[in-house]
Amino acid sequence: MIKPDDVIIMKAVAICFKPYLKPEEALIYCNLGRTQLAKKCEDAGVYKNEAGYYKREDIDKMMAGEVIIHTISARKHRQRAA
């Protein structure tokens, strides 16, 4: 029988190897609160894809302090959605 603590650890390790993260997984991966993550993502130019997932590579760059530059069409799409 797997202990509940072991399940949590296995999920945390699995998050580190996934190429796309759900918003809840991104919160765990970055160790940030919901509003902190939203602010950092906005400042760095990190957006969710059409399916609602964050690209882990973009989150890594954001946490390293880099600004992500997306194409103009992606920015227009984001503005229309808001």
Side-chain angles (χ1 to χ4, degrees):
M1 187 77 175
I2 299 174
K3 297 178 185 176
D5 291 340
D6 293 339
V7 172
I8 292 170
I9 292 169
M10 287 188 287
K11 285 181 182 179
V13 170
I15 287 172
C16 294
F17 294 102
K18 291 176 70 177
Y20 294 94
L21 302 173
K22 296 177 185 176
E24 294 80 17
E25 294 171 340
L27 294 172
I28 295 167
Y29 185 72
C30 295
N31 195 26
L32 295 172
R34 192 168 298 277
T35 55
Q36 291 172 324
L37 178 66
K39 178 82 170 108
K40 276 189 130 345
C41 287
E42 183 180 330
D43 291 344
V46 175
Y47 299 105
K48 296 178 194 174
N49 63 10
E50 294 82 25
Y53 290 83
Y54 289 105
K55 191 173 181 182
R56 187 177 55 85
E57 191 175 292
D58 288 347
I59 291 177
D60 288 338
K61 290 178 183 177
M62 174 193 71
M63 295 304 288
E66 297 178 30
V67 175
I68 290 78
I69 299 171
H70 291 284
T71 61
I72 294 172
S73 62
R75 289 184 195 155
K76 286 182 181 178
H77 174 71
R78 270 288 165 214
Q79 291 173 351
R80 277 188 262 136

